[in-house]
Amino acid sequence: MVKIETARLRIREYTIEDLPELQQILADDLTMSFWPKPFDHSQSENWILTRGIENYQTGYGRFAVELKKTSEIIGDAGLLKLEIDGQPENDLGYIVKSDFWGQGFGYEAANALMMHGFEDLHLKRICANMPATHYASIKVAEKLGMKLEKRFMNKRNRNILTCLYVKS
């Protein structure tokens, strides 16, 4: 069971009971403004199941990011094996509810999960991809010590210019 704690956050496996809180995050227009569109209820349920619960036995997956003080879920982060621009990758992803932007939570969660990937999963390479205009996410990747490897047109996200950051 993956459970990671940082100074302010608890990163833990989802349960299906987390769906209402996750749905509020993934349905928010501002939070999801760099995604093709906000998620509806069935997309959020599918996210918990296919990106989360079904991956946990491997150590991978997307996880609930909650504040330690209140146990409120404020985001979603994790590592997934994905194809990105035609190549298999260990993709580090992070979503923080817009109400909590600018407070360092994205970096805190991503850093903890990157350490999990390198130390516990023994990964040799981790990447993060984001729209070229998502400057806050780029800042997180750079603060993590990731380097820009390439830019590509992302067919999975409106064919927009996307950055691929990597740490090996």
Side-chain angles (χ1 to χ4, degrees), residues 2 10 21 48 57 59 65 68 74-75 79 107 117 119 137 162:
V2 174
R10 185 175 303 108
E21 278 186 277
I48 279 182
Q57 69 278 6
V65 177
K68 282 168 108 172
I74 64 161
L79 287 162
Y107 170 78
E119 295 173 7
S137 190
T162 298

Side-chain angles (χ1 to χ4, degrees), residues 105-165:
F105 292 120
Y107 170 78
E108 193 170 328
N111 187 53
L113 283 158
M114 179 177 276
M115 289 174 33
H116 167 67
F118 285 129
E119 295 173 7
D120 301 328
L121 301 178
H122 308 289
L123 302 177
K124 303 292 183 224
R125 173 184 164 99
I126 295 175
C127 76
N129 75 94
M130 69 285 298
T133 57
H134 195 334
Y135 305 116
S137 190
I138 289 170
K139 185 177 176 183
V140 168
E142 290 174 344
K143 190 173 179 182
L144 290 168
M146 298 178 119
K147 302 294 181 204
L148 179 63
E149 183 172 278
K150 67 178 175 177
R151 297 173 196 259
F152 65 97
M153 301 309 285
N154 191 342
K155 295 173 188 166
R156 291 185 3 203
N157 190 355
R158 300 166 285 175
N159 209 34
I160 61 174
L161 184 61
T162 298
C163 296
L164 182 73
Y165 278 81

Side-chain angles (χ1 to χ4, degrees), residues 3-20:
K3 186 175 179 183
I4 301 168
E5 295 206 13
T6 68
R8 302 177 294 166
L9 302 173
R10 185 175 303 108
I11 300 165
R12 62 163 178 82
E13 295 178 359
Y14 280 115
T15 67
I16 200 66
E17 288 78 23
D18 294 319
L19 181 57

Side-chain angles (χ1 to χ4, degrees), residues 9-135:
L9 302 173
R10 185 175 303 108
I11 300 165
R12 62 163 178 82
E13 295 178 359
Y14 280 115
T15 67
I16 200 66
E17 288 78 23
D18 294 319
L19 181 57
E21 278 186 277
L22 179 64
Q23 172 60 33
Q24 285 185 338
I25 295 167
L26 299 182
D28 180 70
D29 287 331
L30 185 55
T31 299
M32 299 300 283
S33 60
F34 292 97
W35 287 71
K37 63 181 182 173
F39 285 20
D40 63 26
H41 186 272
S42 66
Q43 289 170 307
S44 296
E45 182 176 28
N46 186 57
W47 185 266
I48 279 182
L49 295 174
T50 64
R51 301 289 177 144
I53 294 169
E54 293 174 7
N55 286 285
Y56 293 151
Q57 69 278 6
T58 66
Y60 284 84
R62 295 295 289 238
F63 302 94
V65 177
E66 60 183 26
L67 290 175
K68 282 168 108 172
K69 283 184 180 180
T70 64
S71 297
E72 176 185 1
I73 296 175
I74 64 161
D76 168 276
L79 287 162
L80 291 171
K81 290 183 181 186
L82 294 177
E83 183 179 299
I84 299 174
D85 196 32
Q87 298 298 315
E89 297 282 4
N90 297 305
D91 184 59
L92 173 65
Y94 36 90
I95 300 170
V96 175
K97 187 176 180 181
S98 61
D99 296 350
F100 296 92
W101 285 358
Q103 299 177 51
F105 292 120
Y107 170 78
E108 193 170 328
N111 187 53
L113 283 158
M114 179 177 276
M115 289 174 33
H116 167 67
F118 285 129
E119 295 173 7
D120 301 328
L121 301 178
H122 308 289
L123 302 177
K124 303 292 183 224
R125 173 184 164 99
I126 295 175
C127 76
N129 75 94
M130 69 285 298
T133 57
H134 195 334
Y135 305 116

